[in-house]
Amino acid sequence: MSLVLPIENTLRNDAVAADPAAYRDLAPMITRQRLVVEGYPTFVITDEHIKDYLSKLSVVTDMITLIEPVTHVSDLYGWAGWIHWETSGAHFYSWERPVSFFSVDIYTCKAFDPAKVVEFTEQYFRTTEIVAKGF
C-alpha cells in the first residue's frame, strides 16, 4: 500500500523557503512552543556539561524528564545531546571548530519562560555572546 498526497495541499520546497506566510498553524488547539538559543561559551563543552545542562534545563523549564540525557560525539561535527520530556524535549549541539559555539533547540507542548532559559544558558556557559529566537 502506498500513500499518495494530494498535490493541491502540499507546498513545494521553494514556496516554503520563499514565503514564510505560506505557513499556517494546522493544530491551534495544541500548545507548541519552540526556542533556539545559540552562543559562544568561554570553555570547551564536554559530554558531562551537556548532560548536566540538559538535566538542569528540565528544572528551569519545569518539564518532567522521561529519560536521562543522551549524548554522541562526531569527529566531524562535535557533540550532540538530547533529553526527552513528557512534553517533548530539547536538542543540544556543540562545536569546537571552526569556532567554539553551541546551539540549543527546545520544542515543547507545554509553555515555559524563554527569558529564564536564556538567562540560565548564558550563566551556565558563561557566554561572551548569546542570541535566542522563539517561535
Side-chain angles (χ1 to χ4, degrees):
M1 174 191 255
S2 65
L3 177 65
V4 178
L5 296 175
I7 294 172
E8 64 274 3
N9 290 336
T10 60
L11 290 173
R12 298 181 329 271
N13 285 341
D14 59 337
V16 172
D19 185 8
Y23 175 85
R24 65 184 172 89
D25 189 345
L26 297 178
M29 71 296 291
I30 299 172
T31 299
R32 282 136 32 243
Q33 184 175 355
R34 298 164 177 96
L35 180 67
V36 174
V37 182
E38 298 183 336
Y40 301 127
T42 55
F43 54 87
V44 174
I45 297 173
T46 67
D47 169 66
E48 289 305 313
H49 290 123
I50 296 168
K51 289 177 180 176
D52 184 55
Y53 169 81
L54 290 172
S55 293
K56 290 177 178 172
L57 182 63
S58 303
V59 175
V60 171
T61 55
D62 191 31
M63 300 293 166
I64 297 170
T65 300
L66 295 180
I67 63 167
E68 294 303 310
V70 176
T71 59
H72 172 75
V73 68
S74 162
D75 291 336
L76 296 176
Y77 300 105
W79 282 101
W82 174 72
I83 190 163
H84 187 100
W85 295 324
E86 184 175 60
T87 49
S88 300
H91 289 94
F92 184 95
Y93 306 96
S94 173
W95 293 258
E96 287 182 45
R97 58 188 188 281
V99 63
S100 184
F101 173 76
F102 68 84
S103 182
V104 184
D105 189 1
I106 301 168
Y107 176 88
T108 69
C109 295
K110 175 184 167 187
F112 62 91
D113 185 343
K116 286 183 180 179
V117 171
V118 173
E119 180 181 4
F120 165 69
T121 304
E122 181 177 36
Q123 291 174 359
Y124 189 93
F125 293 107
R126 300 189 302 268
T127 62
T128 58
E129 188 172 353
I130 192 165
V131 296
K133 179 178 181 177
F135 47 102

